[in-house]
Amino acid sequence: MDFEYSENQNMIAATVKDFTAKYILPHVMEWDESQEFPLDLFKKLGELGLLGVLVPTEYGGAGLGYFEYVAVIREISKVCGSIGLSVAAHNSLCTGHILNFGNEVQKQKWLPQLASGEWIGAWGLTEPNTGSDAGNMKTVAVQDGDEWVINGAKNFITHGKSSKIAVIMARTGEPGDSHAMTAFVIEKGTPGFTHGRKENKMGMRASETTELIFDNCRVPKENILGEIGDGFVQALKILDGGRISIAALSLGIAEGAYEASVAYAKERQQFDKPISQHQAIAFKLADMATEIEASKLLIFRAAELKNNHLPVAKESAMAKYYASEVAVRCANEAVQIFGGYGFTKDYPVEKFYRDAKLCTIGEGTSEIQKVVISRHILK
Protein backbone atom coordinates (compact mmCIF):
# COMPACT_ATOMS: atom_id res chain seq x y z
CA MET A 1 0.00 0.00 0.00
CA ASP A 2 1.33 3.42 -0.97
CA PHE A 3 1.54 5.71 2.07
CA GLU A 4 3.36 8.56 0.34
CA TYR A 5 1.68 11.95 0.59
CA SER A 6 -0.61 12.91 -2.28
CA GLU A 7 -0.12 16.18 -4.13
CA ASN A 8 -2.74 17.83 -1.93
CA GLN A 9 -1.14 16.50 1.26
CA ASN A 10 2.26 17.76 0.13
CA MET A 11 0.73 21.16 -0.53
CA ILE A 12 -0.81 21.23 2.96
CA ALA A 13 2.52 20.21 4.53
CA ALA A 14 4.31 22.97 2.58
CA THR A 15 1.73 25.56 3.66
CA VAL A 16 2.11 24.55 7.31
CA LYS A 17 5.91 24.59 6.98
CA ASP A 18 5.80 28.16 5.64
CA PHE A 19 3.44 29.17 8.45
CA THR A 20 5.67 27.71 11.16
CA ALA A 21 8.75 29.45 9.72
CA LYS A 22 6.97 32.81 9.76
CA TYR A 23 4.82 32.72 12.88
CA ILE A 24 6.24 30.03 15.22
CA LEU A 25 9.99 29.58 14.77
CA PRO A 26 10.95 33.17 15.74
CA HIS A 27 9.09 32.84 19.07
CA VAL A 28 9.76 29.26 20.15
CA MET A 29 12.17 29.98 22.99
CA GLU A 30 10.40 33.17 24.03
CA TRP A 31 7.16 31.23 24.58
CA ASP A 32 9.02 28.36 26.21
CA GLU A 33 10.80 30.58 28.72
CA SER A 34 7.69 32.59 29.61
CA GLN A 35 5.31 29.59 29.43
CA GLU A 36 3.03 31.79 27.35
CA PHE A 37 0.15 30.16 25.53
CA PRO A 38 0.03 32.26 22.32
CA LEU A 39 -3.69 32.82 21.79
CA ASP A 40 -3.12 35.21 18.89
CA LEU A 41 -1.25 32.47 17.04
CA PHE A 42 -4.24 30.18 17.42
CA LYS A 43 -6.49 32.77 15.77
CA LYS A 44 -4.14 32.60 12.77
CA LEU A 45 -4.15 28.79 12.87
CA GLY A 46 -7.95 28.92 12.83
CA GLU A 47 -7.98 31.24 9.84
CA LEU A 48 -5.77 28.75 8.00
CA GLY A 49 -8.20 25.91 8.78
CA LEU A 50 -5.83 24.08 11.12
CA LEU A 51 -8.14 24.02 14.14
CA GLY A 52 -10.91 22.16 12.33
CA VAL A 53 -8.88 19.84 10.12
CA LEU A 54 -11.31 16.92 10.42
CA VAL A 55 -14.48 19.01 10.78
CA PRO A 56 -16.75 18.91 7.70
CA THR A 57 -17.08 22.12 5.72
CA GLU A 58 -20.78 22.50 6.65
CA TYR A 59 -19.64 23.17 10.22
CA GLY A 60 -16.89 25.57 9.19
CA GLY A 61 -14.05 23.06 9.12
CA ALA A 62 -11.49 22.06 6.50
CA GLY A 63 -13.20 18.72 5.81
CA LEU A 64 -9.92 16.80 5.50
CA GLY A 65 -8.83 13.31 6.54
CA TYR A 66 -6.30 11.76 8.86
CA PHE A 67 -3.38 11.85 6.44
CA GLU A 68 -3.77 15.63 6.15
CA TYR A 69 -4.18 15.86 9.91
CA VAL A 70 -0.96 13.91 10.48
CA ALA A 71 0.83 16.22 8.03
CA VAL A 72 -0.34 19.31 9.95
CA ILE A 73 0.69 18.05 13.41
CA ARG A 74 3.96 16.62 12.10
CA GLU A 75 5.12 19.84 10.40
CA ILE A 76 4.25 22.06 13.38
CA SER A 77 5.97 19.69 15.81
CA LYS A 78 9.21 19.71 13.83
CA VAL A 79 9.51 23.31 15.00
CA CYS A 80 7.63 23.41 18.32
CA GLY A 81 6.18 20.46 20.19
CA SER A 82 4.13 22.74 22.43
CA ILE A 83 2.15 24.21 19.57
CA GLY A 84 1.85 20.78 17.95
CA LEU A 85 0.43 19.40 21.19
CA SER A 86 -2.12 22.18 21.57
CA VAL A 87 -3.27 21.90 17.95
CA ALA A 88 -3.61 18.13 18.42
CA ALA A 89 -5.57 18.44 21.67
CA HIS A 90 -7.93 21.06 20.26
CA ASN A 91 -8.66 19.03 17.11
CA SER A 92 -8.77 15.47 18.45
CA LEU A 93 -10.24 15.82 21.90
CA CYS A 94 -12.74 18.63 22.49
CA THR A 95 -13.63 19.27 18.84
CA GLY A 96 -13.39 15.58 17.96
CA HIS A 97 -15.71 14.55 20.79
CA ILE A 98 -18.43 17.00 19.75
CA LEU A 99 -17.99 16.04 16.08
CA ASN A 100 -18.25 12.31 16.76
CA PHE A 101 -20.92 12.22 19.45
CA GLY A 102 -22.82 15.50 19.32
CA ASN A 103 -26.30 15.77 17.79
CA GLU A 104 -26.98 18.13 14.89
CA VAL A 105 -28.01 21.02 17.14
CA GLN A 106 -24.84 20.65 19.24
CA LYS A 107 -22.60 20.46 16.18
CA GLN A 108 -24.13 23.58 14.64
CA LYS A 109 -23.86 25.39 17.96
CA TRP A 110 -20.23 24.69 18.86
CA LEU A 111 -18.16 23.33 15.95
CA PRO A 112 -17.98 26.54 13.84
CA GLN A 113 -16.49 28.50 16.73
CA LEU A 114 -13.97 25.74 17.47
CA ALA A 115 -12.98 25.21 13.83
CA SER A 116 -12.42 28.94 13.26
CA GLY A 117 -10.25 29.38 16.34
CA GLU A 118 -12.73 31.84 17.84
CA TRP A 119 -12.99 29.39 20.72
CA ILE A 120 -10.24 27.13 22.08
CA GLY A 121 -11.42 23.77 23.40
CA ALA A 122 -10.44 21.66 26.42
CA TRP A 123 -11.19 18.03 27.27
CA GLY A 124 -11.31 16.59 30.76
CA LEU A 125 -10.89 12.94 31.72
CA THR A 126 -7.82 12.80 34.01
CA GLU A 127 -8.20 13.58 37.71
CA PRO A 128 -5.67 14.07 40.54
CA ASN A 129 -6.02 10.50 41.80
CA THR A 130 -7.25 8.75 38.65
CA GLY A 131 -4.81 9.03 35.78
CA SER A 132 -4.71 5.70 33.97
CA ASP A 133 -7.47 4.43 36.29
CA ALA A 134 -10.14 6.72 34.77
CA GLY A 135 -12.92 4.29 35.62
CA ASN A 136 -12.73 5.32 39.27
CA MET A 137 -13.08 9.06 38.67
CA LYS A 138 -14.38 11.15 41.55
CA THR A 139 -16.01 13.99 39.60
CA VAL A 140 -19.76 13.36 40.01
CA ALA A 141 -22.82 14.67 38.17
CA VAL A 142 -26.26 14.41 39.84
CA GLN A 143 -29.49 15.13 37.99
CA ASP A 144 -31.71 17.91 39.36
CA GLY A 145 -34.73 18.37 37.11
CA ASP A 146 -33.61 19.53 33.67
CA GLU A 147 -30.08 20.20 34.91
CA TRP A 148 -27.09 18.21 36.14
CA VAL A 149 -25.05 19.42 39.11
CA ILE A 150 -21.33 18.63 38.76
CA ASN A 151 -18.76 18.57 41.57
CA GLY A 152 -15.11 17.58 41.39
CA ALA A 153 -11.91 18.45 39.58
CA LYS A 154 -9.85 17.47 36.56
CA ASN A 155 -6.11 18.00 36.21
CA PHE A 156 -3.44 18.09 33.51
CA ILE A 157 -6.00 19.70 31.21
CA THR A 158 -4.64 21.29 28.04
CA HIS A 159 -6.09 24.81 27.62
CA GLY A 160 -7.85 24.61 30.99
CA LYS A 161 -7.51 28.36 31.48
CA SER A 162 -7.77 29.77 27.95
CA SER A 163 -10.49 27.50 26.59
CA LYS A 164 -13.99 28.84 26.05
CA ILE A 165 -15.57 25.40 26.10
CA ALA A 166 -14.74 22.01 27.60
CA VAL A 167 -15.95 18.45 27.15
CA ILE A 168 -15.67 16.65 30.47
CA MET A 169 -16.48 13.16 31.72
CA ALA A 170 -18.31 12.89 35.03
CA ARG A 171 -19.53 9.89 36.96
CA THR A 172 -23.32 9.44 36.82
CA GLY A 173 -23.37 5.95 38.34
CA GLU A 174 -21.31 3.61 40.50
CA PRO A 175 -17.48 3.75 40.59
CA GLY A 176 -15.75 1.24 38.34
CA ASP A 177 -18.75 0.78 36.03
CA SER A 178 -17.70 1.57 32.47
CA HIS A 179 -21.28 2.62 31.70
CA ALA A 180 -21.56 4.98 34.66
CA MET A 181 -19.90 8.05 33.12
CA THR A 182 -21.41 10.76 30.94
CA ALA A 183 -19.88 13.41 28.67
CA PHE A 184 -20.94 17.02 29.27
CA VAL A 185 -20.16 20.18 27.31
CA ILE A 186 -19.58 23.18 29.56
CA GLU A 187 -19.00 26.74 28.38
CA LYS A 188 -16.70 29.06 30.31
CA GLY A 189 -18.69 31.54 32.37
CA THR A 190 -21.02 28.82 33.64
CA PRO A 191 -21.41 29.43 37.42
CA GLY A 192 -19.35 26.98 39.45
CA PHE A 193 -16.94 26.22 36.58
CA THR A 194 -13.43 27.63 37.04
CA HIS A 195 -9.83 26.72 36.34
CA GLY A 196 -7.18 26.04 38.95
CA ARG A 197 -3.43 26.45 38.99
CA LYS A 198 -1.29 26.29 35.90
CA GLU A 199 1.32 23.51 35.90
CA ASN A 200 5.00 24.50 35.78
CA LYS A 201 6.26 21.85 33.36
CA MET A 202 9.62 20.51 32.22
CA GLY A 203 8.62 20.61 28.56
CA MET A 204 5.71 21.58 26.31
CA ARG A 205 5.79 24.81 28.26
CA ALA A 206 3.90 26.95 25.73
CA SER A 207 1.00 24.46 25.79
CA GLU A 208 -1.10 25.55 28.73
CA THR A 209 -1.95 22.88 31.32
CA THR A 210 -4.21 23.57 34.31
CA GLU A 211 -6.85 22.14 36.61
CA LEU A 212 -10.58 22.38 35.95
CA ILE A 213 -12.76 22.80 39.05
CA PHE A 214 -16.51 22.16 39.40
CA ASP A 215 -18.33 23.51 42.46
CA ASN A 216 -22.06 22.88 42.18
CA CYS A 217 -21.74 23.61 38.47
CA ARG A 218 -25.19 23.38 36.87
CA VAL A 219 -25.30 22.13 33.28
CA PRO A 220 -28.49 21.82 31.19
CA LYS A 221 -29.40 18.31 30.01
CA GLU A 222 -29.08 19.60 26.42
CA ASN A 223 -25.32 19.69 26.97
CA ILE A 224 -24.97 15.92 27.32
CA LEU A 225 -23.14 14.32 24.39
CA GLY A 226 -24.80 11.08 23.34
CA GLU A 227 -26.58 9.01 25.96
CA ILE A 228 -26.29 9.09 29.75
CA GLY A 229 -23.66 6.52 30.77
CA ASP A 230 -21.83 6.47 27.44
CA GLY A 231 -19.09 8.95 28.39
CA PHE A 232 -16.32 6.48 29.15
CA VAL A 233 -16.92 4.39 26.05
CA GLN A 234 -16.96 7.61 23.99
CA ALA A 235 -13.70 8.74 25.62
CA LEU A 236 -11.95 5.50 24.66
CA LYS A 237 -12.99 5.96 21.04
CA ILE A 238 -11.82 9.58 21.08
CA LEU A 239 -8.47 8.45 22.47
CA ASP A 240 -8.09 5.98 19.58
CA GLY A 241 -8.00 8.94 17.19
CA GLY A 242 -6.13 11.14 19.63
CA ARG A 243 -3.31 8.62 19.84
CA ILE A 244 -2.73 9.02 16.11
CA SER A 245 -2.27 12.75 16.69
CA ILE A 246 0.19 12.16 19.56
CA ALA A 247 2.05 9.72 17.33
CA ALA A 248 2.23 12.46 14.67
CA LEU A 249 3.42 14.90 17.34
CA SER A 250 6.11 12.38 18.33
CA LEU A 251 7.11 11.90 14.71
CA GLY A 252 7.51 15.64 14.21
CA ILE A 253 9.68 16.00 17.31
CA ALA A 254 11.82 13.03 16.25
CA GLU A 255 12.24 14.43 12.75
CA GLY A 256 13.06 17.88 14.08
CA ALA A 257 15.77 16.44 16.32
CA TYR A 258 17.07 14.22 13.51
CA GLU A 259 17.22 16.99 10.89
CA ALA A 260 19.02 19.30 13.30
CA SER A 261 21.48 16.50 14.08
CA VAL A 262 22.23 15.75 10.43
CA ALA A 263 22.88 19.42 9.67
CA TYR A 264 25.09 19.84 12.74
CA ALA A 265 27.01 16.60 12.12
CA LYS A 266 27.90 17.75 8.61
CA GLU A 267 29.22 21.10 9.88
CA ARG A 268 30.90 20.23 13.18
CA GLN A 269 34.58 19.32 12.74
CA GLN A 270 36.52 17.04 15.04
CA PHE A 271 39.86 15.34 14.28
CA ASP A 272 40.04 17.23 10.95
CA LYS A 273 36.75 16.00 9.49
CA PRO A 274 33.00 16.46 9.99
CA ILE A 275 31.71 14.37 12.88
CA SER A 276 29.23 12.76 10.45
CA GLN A 277 32.22 10.91 9.01
CA HIS A 278 32.92 9.25 12.35
CA GLN A 279 31.16 5.92 12.58
CA ALA A 280 29.95 6.57 16.14
CA ILE A 281 27.90 9.54 14.91
CA ALA A 282 26.93 8.06 11.53
CA PHE A 283 25.46 4.99 13.22
CA LYS A 284 23.41 7.17 15.58
CA LEU A 285 21.95 8.95 12.57
CA ALA A 286 21.27 5.63 10.86
CA ASP A 287 19.35 4.36 13.89
CA MET A 288 17.36 7.58 14.11
CA ALA A 289 16.44 7.51 10.41
CA THR A 290 15.36 3.86 10.57
CA GLU A 291 13.16 4.29 13.64
CA ILE A 292 11.57 7.44 12.20
CA GLU A 293 10.69 5.53 9.03
CA ALA A 294 9.14 2.72 11.08
CA SER A 295 7.13 5.28 13.06
CA LYS A 296 5.81 6.80 9.84
CA LEU A 297 4.59 3.44 8.57
CA LEU A 298 2.75 2.65 11.82
CA ILE A 299 1.13 6.09 11.85
CA PHE A 300 0.09 5.96 8.20
CA ARG A 301 -1.38 2.49 8.72
CA ALA A 302 -3.50 3.78 11.62
CA ALA A 303 -4.52 6.86 9.62
CA GLU A 304 -5.62 4.67 6.71
CA LEU A 305 -7.80 2.56 9.01
CA LYS A 306 -9.28 5.66 10.62
CA ASN A 307 -10.08 7.23 7.25
CA ASN A 308 -11.92 4.06 6.29
CA HIS A 309 -13.87 3.90 9.59
CA LEU A 310 -12.28 0.56 10.49
CA PRO A 311 -11.29 -0.60 14.01
CA VAL A 312 -8.05 1.14 14.94
CA ALA A 313 -7.55 0.72 18.70
CA LYS A 314 -4.62 -1.70 18.41
CA GLU A 315 -2.95 0.11 15.51
CA SER A 316 -3.28 3.58 17.03
CA ALA A 317 -1.86 2.28 20.32
CA MET A 318 1.06 0.71 18.46
CA ALA A 319 1.72 3.92 16.54
CA LYS A 320 1.53 6.07 19.65
CA TYR A 321 3.64 3.73 21.76
CA TYR A 322 6.39 3.25 19.21
CA ALA A 323 6.55 6.80 17.84
CA SER A 324 6.62 8.36 21.31
CA GLU A 325 9.46 6.13 22.48
CA VAL A 326 11.33 6.88 19.23
CA ALA A 327 10.89 10.61 19.84
CA VAL A 328 12.57 10.23 23.24
CA ARG A 329 15.42 8.18 21.80
CA CYS A 330 15.99 10.54 18.87
CA ALA A 331 15.96 13.61 21.11
CA ASN A 332 18.38 11.93 23.49
CA GLU A 333 20.76 11.02 20.66
CA ALA A 334 20.45 14.53 19.22
CA VAL A 335 21.68 16.06 22.48
CA GLN A 336 24.55 13.56 22.49
CA ILE A 337 25.51 14.44 18.91
CA PHE A 338 25.52 18.14 19.74
CA GLY A 339 27.63 17.46 22.82
CA GLY A 340 27.97 20.38 25.21
CA TYR A 341 26.10 22.65 22.79
CA GLY A 342 23.14 20.26 22.94
CA PHE A 343 22.82 21.04 26.63
CA THR A 344 22.36 24.75 25.97
CA LYS A 345 19.30 26.70 24.89
CA ASP A 346 21.19 28.21 21.96
CA TYR A 347 20.45 25.07 19.93
CA PRO A 348 17.04 23.46 19.37
CA VAL A 349 17.73 19.91 20.55
CA GLU A 350 17.52 20.57 24.28
CA LYS A 351 13.90 21.64 23.80
CA PHE A 352 13.13 18.57 21.70
CA TYR A 353 14.64 16.55 24.56
CA ARG A 354 12.37 18.19 27.16
CA ASP A 355 9.24 18.10 24.99
CA ALA A 356 9.59 14.51 23.80
CA LYS A 357 9.01 12.88 27.19
CA LEU A 358 5.41 14.06 27.40
CA CYS A 359 4.61 11.98 24.31
CA THR A 360 5.18 8.77 26.31
CA ILE A 361 2.74 9.96 29.00
CA GLY A 362 -0.10 12.04 27.49
CA GLU A 363 -3.27 10.37 26.13
CA GLY A 364 -2.24 7.10 27.74
CA THR A 365 1.22 6.16 28.99
CA SER A 366 3.44 3.74 27.10
CA GLU A 367 2.43 1.16 29.69
CA ILE A 368 -1.26 1.70 28.95
CA GLN A 369 -0.56 1.35 25.22
CA LYS A 370 1.00 -2.04 25.97
CA VAL A 371 -2.14 -3.00 27.90
CA VAL A 372 -4.30 -2.06 24.90
CA ILE A 373 -2.04 -3.87 22.42
CA SER A 374 -1.69 -7.01 24.52
CA ARG A 375 -5.46 -7.27 25.08
CA HIS A 376 -6.02 -7.19 21.34
CA ILE A 377 -3.34 -9.71 20.43
CA LEU A 378 -4.37 -12.11 23.22
CA LYS A 379 -8.09 -12.10 22.48
Side-chain angles (χ1 to χ4, degrees):
M1 189 174 291
D2 182 13
F3 286 140
E4 290 302 314
Y5 280 169
S6 66
E7 183 179 347
N8 186 53
Q9 289 156 0
N10 277 320
M11 184 178 69
I12 290 168
T15 299
V16 176
K17 187 174 182 178
D18 290 344
F19 180 91
T20 59
K22 183 175 181 180
Y23 294 109
I24 299 177
L25 183 59
H27 306 287
V28 167
M29 293 311 297
E30 168 195 340
W31 293 334
D32 184 76
E33 294 284 349
S34 66
Q35 300 196 64
E36 175 189 354
F37 177 60
L39 266 173
D40 288 345
L41 173 74
F42 278 75
K43 303 294 184 189
K44 293 184 175 70
L45 287 163
E47 292 167 5
L48 201 59
L50 303 183
L51 296 187
V53 179
L54 302 168
V55 176
T57 54
E58 59 262 37
Y59 304 119
L64 299 172
Y66 266 80
F67 280 100
E68 291 81 7
Y69 183 38
V70 166
V72 168
I73 301 301
R74 178 184 177 187
E75 288 300 326
I76 293 173
S77 304
K78 285 181 185 179
V79 174
C80 182
S82 294
I83 305 305
L85 174 62
S86 279
V87 171
H90 176 90
N91 275 281
S92 287
L93 301 180
C94 178
T95 305
H97 204 137
I98 295 170
L99 174 63
N100 282 279
F101 297 104
N103 58 40
E104 189 60 28
V105 172
Q106 292 168 331
K107 291 178 184 179
Q108 293 285 358
K109 181 178 181 181
W110 292 311
L111 288 179
Q113 295 171 95
L114 287 164
S116 68
E118 180 184 351
W119 284 12
I120 300 297
W123 191 79
L125 178 65
T126 301
E127 296 184 0
N129 294 310
T130 58
S132 298
D133 184 19
N136 282 309
M137 65 175 59
K138 301 295 187 281
T139 297
V140 174
V142 177
Q143 190 168 12
D144 182 15
D146 288 339
E147 295 180 319
W148 288 76
V149 182
I150 303 176
N151 284 283
K154 301 289 182 179
N155 73 333
F156 299 132
I157 305 304
T158 306
H159 314 140
K161 176 182 177 182
S162 296
S163 60
K164 295 293 185 182
I165 186 172
V167 175
I168 69 106
M169 270 47 69
R171 186 159 55 79
T172 50
E174 293 302 313
D177 182 355
S178 62
H179 294 282
M181 283 160 271
T182 302
F184 295 87
V185 180
I186 312 177
E187 296 183 21
K188 280 296 176 70
T190 301
F193 179 36
T194 58
H195 66 84
R197 70 186 183 94
K198 182 177 177 179
E199 302 292 345
N200 184 11
K201 299 176 296 182
M202 174 178 75
M204 301 292 194
R205 288 165 62 83
S207 180
E208 173 189 282
T209 307
T210 75
E211 295 174 305
L212 291 178
I213 298 170
F214 311 94
D215 183 9
N216 290 321
C217 175
R218 304 185 76 90
V219 181
K221 64 180 182 180
E222 292 78 16
N223 285 32
I224 290 175
L225 293 174
E227 300 298 323
I228 296 169
D230 283 352
F232 187 64
V233 175
Q234 291 174 7
L236 293 181
K237 291 178 180 177
I238 292 302
L239 287 171
D240 284 345
R243 284 166 181 159
I244 297 174
S245 70
I246 300 300
L249 167 69
S250 304
L251 175 61
I253 290 172
E255 288 182 310
Y258 167 73
E259 290 170 8
S261 298
V262 169
Y264 182 79
K266 288 179 177 179
E267 295 171 1
R268 173 71 165 161
Q269 296 268 336
Q270 290 284 271
F271 305 104
D272 301 320
K273 60 183 178 181
I275 62 172
S276 61
Q277 294 183 21
H278 294 282
Q279 191 179 76
I281 302 302
F283 278 14
K284 289 182 186 296
L285 296 172
D287 286 339
M288 293 163 77
T290 302
E291 292 192 321
I292 285 169
E293 194 66 23
S295 295
K296 283 165 57 178
L297 294 173
L298 284 168
I299 294 166
F300 292 167
R301 169 64 173 155
E304 176 76 4
L305 291 171
K306 192 68 176 169
N307 275 347
N308 287 289
H309 309 289
L310 295 170
V312 73
K314 180 186 72 174
E315 289 78 10
S316 65
M318 284 178 168
K320 195 270 186 188
Y321 165 54
Y322 187 78
S324 64
E325 295 290 344
V326 165
V328 171
R329 288 196 291 271
C330 284
N332 181 59
E333 291 289 43
V335 172
Q336 197 70 17
I337 289 167
F338 273 74
Y341 293 113
F343 205 66
T344 73
K345 293 182 182 291
D346 295 328
Y347 291 85
V349 293
E350 71 85 29
K351 184 176 182 297
F352 288 128
Y353 185 76
R354 288 185 288 111
D355 288 348
K357 188 57 194 169
L358 184 277
C359 298
T360 69
I361 299 170
E363 294 199 33
T365 62
S366 290
E367 290 73 21
I368 286 295
Q369 306 313 313
K370 291 181 187 180
V371 169
V372 173
I373 295 163
S374 61
R375 283 177 178 170
H376 277 82
I377 64 176
L378 295 173
K379 274 185 178 178

